[in-house]
Amino acid sequence: MSTAAPAIDTDRIRSLDAAHHWHPFTDTKALNAEGTRVIVKAEGSLLWDSKGNEILDGMAGLWCVNVGYGRKELAEAASRQMMALPYYNTFFKTTNVPATELAAKLAELTPDGLNYAFFANSGSEANDTIVRMVRHFWQLRGKPNKKTLISREFAYHGSTMIATSLGGMTAMHAQVDMPLPGFSHIRPPYFVRDGGNMTEEEFGIAAAQALEDRIQELGADTIAAFIAEPIQGAGGVIIPPASYFPEIQRICRNHDILFIVDEVITGFGRTGNWFASQTFDLQPDMMTLAKGLSSGYAPISAVMVGERVAKTLIEEGGEFYHGFTYSGHPVACAVALENLRIIEAEGLVERARSDTGPYLQDGLRSLADHPLVGEVRGVGMIGALELVKDKDGPVFFDPIGRVGTICRDHCFANNLVMRAVRDAMVCSPPLVITRPEIDRLVSTLKLC
Ligand code: PLP
């Protein structure tokens, strides 16, 4: 493969970008002062910018390009489907073959009982859909006061008004007077920060107790559901102690509160199983999926609905007044199906579990002695280094986030994409990343 980037007038693109392109989650003034990097092509785990620099993508785009870049099979699947049926809606008593096949495939792959797939275009829309479904469910069950959804601080469930309210990102809340009523947040199981003198096991139980306390405070008859990312991704790759989720699930069952997992990041092999629900032995009532569902090659998301909720909504709910023009989009579904075929055919889940996953974790752990590294954590193909001022304590940096940003920018200047969440350096590379590429990731990080 030639690594030469196509001829691009970088200065022209940058100046048009500064004048017209409003980037998501970006300080536009700061970006315009600095100038954006123009990414022009990609292959495997590598990106190239318009100046010809080769960049290792330690984040799989935004935690999504699980099968890696440059997959001709996916382009061909999209092209075939566009020629056969580029679009038709799934609203008015019609379906299309890829949407139906994909729903059936997801029912097969996801944990038992999640037999229905409702399609949307993004993780945010999938989580909006969840909120409507669970509130409607409790109405139909004769408990209309069960409306509130409990989630966690640092949770990221998307960027619509509902998904932002569901999430626990205070900076997002502060800008727009959020969260909306009906959402409540408890602390996450963030051991390195909040564990104190407890063992991980003790801390997991204590962190789950926050759910019990909040239920007691608000009243179980007002709580519709608890939602969690099995590993909080954008929150800083917060891995729950083993004792956490069994306790959370017990509390949900005790109080008849639906248990929902957001597997938008953790799905499709990231943790070494198809879903993190399998890694952490979770039995969710509902699950949201996106990102790795199509490896980012087409916008698509799904809500997987378990038997209990589906039965009530389908048998008693009448028309569900919710959906999107592109729900079950035939091209996105065809791409997702082909993507799942690749993950299966190439054993990428197994690879994350027992080959490059452990290799990545070992590589990250080799940095544990670095004076700035307070904790190394990760599972499969997702990991984080928590940077601290002093390993003893540990003592965190003040202000939070400055050192993380410096380190992330250093990596980017050295052609490695990592992400900084507060002062945690996080990575989530394509599942196809090779061992030499992992070595490169670790050695670039080490130079920080
Ligand atoms: N849920 C989780 C766990 C996510 O990480 C994200 C995005 O990063 C979302 C939901 C929202 O997905 P989208 O950006 O596709 O709306």
Side-chain angles (χ1 to χ4, degrees):
M1 192 206 64
S2 150
T3 56
I8 300 263
D9 183 344
T10 305
D11 291 340
R12 178 177 164 272
I13 295 296
R14 278 185 164 176
S15 91
L16 286 176
D17 199 72
H20 302 295
H21 184 189
W22 198 326
H23 293 237
F25 283 96
T26 296
D27 175 340
T28 301
K29 193 170 158 191
L31 177 70
N32 289 350
E34 192 180 326
T36 183
R37 208 159 165 176
V38 185
I39 304 299
V40 291
K41 60 181 241 172
E43 182 80 28
S45 300
L46 301 173
L47 307 163
W48 283 267
D49 69 13
S50 55
K51 306 265 187 185
N53 294 304
E54 181 195 280
I55 305 163
L56 178 60
D57 184 3
M59 285 304 301
L62 277 177
W63 330 73
C64 55
V65 188
N66 288 15
V67 299
Y69 299 95
R71 293 288 193 162
K72 291 197 177 44
E73 309 94 302
L74 294 180
E76 283 160 9
S79 161
R80 271 196 309 275
Q81 187 57 45
M82 279 192 192
M83 296 309 289
L85 179 73
Y87 174 75
Y88 198 71
N89 71 76
T90 53
F91 284 33
F92 302 124
K93 302 187 183 180
T94 56
T95 190
N96 62 73
V97 176
T100 301
E101 296 276 15
L102 182 60
K105 186 73 190 167
L106 291 174
E108 177 198 317
L109 291 174
T110 52
D112 279 354
L114 299 174
N115 286 333
Y116 286 91
F118 186 101
F119 291 116
N121 308 289
S122 67
S124 304
E125 288 176 357
N127 283 320
D128 271 40
T129 302
I130 285 268
V131 175
R132 293 171 80 121
M133 282 182 167
V134 301
R135 289 188 177 162
H136 188 33
F137 168 78
W138 287 117
Q139 275 178 359
L140 292 167
R141 299 299 290 251
K143 296 184 177 172
N145 292 333
K146 275 173 96 61
K147 281 194 185 113
T148 295
L149 284 95
I150 301 181
S151 148
R152 300 177 300 173
E153 294 153 16
F154 300 140
Y156 187 73
H157 296 297
S159 198
T160 58
M161 294 289 271
I162 289 291
T164 300
S165 295
L166 195 55
M169 298 291 189
T170 45
M172 289 175 78
H173 290 167
Q175 262 183 355
V176 280
D177 199 13
M178 297 265 212
L180 297 170
F183 299 92
S184 184
H185 303 89
I186 60 170
R187 70 167 171 167
Y190 196 173
F191 181 66
V192 67
R193 197 189 62 162
D194 299 333
N197 293 329
M198 283 183 261
T199 63
E200 278 208 53
E201 165 85 13
E202 288 163 351
F203 177 69
I205 305 278
Q209 179 65 28
L211 177 60
E212 178 69 44
D213 294 346
R214 186 59 53 85
I215 294 168
Q216 296 301 338
E217 184 187 327
L218 301 178
D221 53 348
T222 69
I223 316 288
F226 173 74
I227 182 166
E229 300 156 78
I231 294 172
Q232 283 185 292
V237 181
I238 301 174
I239 315 269
S243 56
Y244 180 73
F245 274 120
E247 190 61 7
I248 288 282
Q249 293 189 101
R250 187 191 65 72
I251 294 167
C252 288
R253 274 194 304 273
N254 249 1
H255 294 290
D256 201 15
I257 287 166
L258 295 173
F259 175 56
I260 301 169
V261 294
D262 178 337
E263 293 237 25
V264 165
I265 282 180
T266 53
F268 305 103
R270 177 69 47 206
T271 67
N273 286 292
W274 272 97
F275 300 97
S277 291
Q278 291 139 352
T279 306
F280 294 103
D281 193 21
L282 310 180
Q283 293 86 40
D285 292 295
M286 303 170 86
M287 175 187 275
T288 42
L289 302 172
K291 296 191 190 271
L293 171 54
S294 67
S295 285
Y297 280 69
I300 182 168
S301 64
V303 176
M304 299 307 297
V305 189
E307 285 297 336
R308 180 179 181 207
V309 174
K311 194 162 181 279
T312 298
L313 290 184
I314 290 170
E315 289 183 10
E316 298 166 37
E319 178 174 345
F320 183 47
Y321 298 115
H322 177 75
F324 305 97
T325 300
Y326 302 128
S327 287
H329 192 287
V331 177
C333 291
V335 170
L337 272 172
E338 180 63 12
N339 172 61
L340 299 183
R341 189 198 65 71
I342 292 172
I343 294 175
E344 269 180 332
E346 297 186 7
L348 296 183
V349 177
E350 174 60 26
R351 182 180 158 101
R353 180 167 56 239
S354 53
D355 180 1
T356 39
Y359 192 76
L360 173 68
Q361 299 304 329
D362 285 349
L364 294 176
R365 270 197 296 274
S366 74
L367 301 176
D369 290 340
H370 191 287
L372 284 179
V373 175
E375 186 186 58
V376 181
R377 51 181 186 263
V379 177
M381 295 296 264
I382 184 167
L385 304 180
E386 187 82 45
L387 305 184
V388 294
K389 190 168 168 202
D390 187 342
K391 282 157 117 62
D392 250 354
V395 180
F396 293 91
F397 286 107
D398 184 17
I400 295 171
R402 198 174 55 88
V403 172
T405 304
I406 292 170
C407 187
R408 179 204 60 197
D409 290 350
H410 172 92
C411 289
F412 199 39
N414 285 283
N415 295 320
L416 167 66
V417 178
M418 295 283 289
R419 183 138 163 208
V421 180
R422 296 177 300 283
D423 290 308
M425 292 299 296
V426 311
C427 69
S428 166
L431 304 184
V432 294
I433 192 170
T434 62
R435 287 178 178 234
E437 286 168 342
I438 292 172
D439 294 342
R440 173 174 161 190
L441 184 153
V442 172
S443 58
T444 308
L445 255 181
K446 199 172 178 173
L447 291 176
C448 276

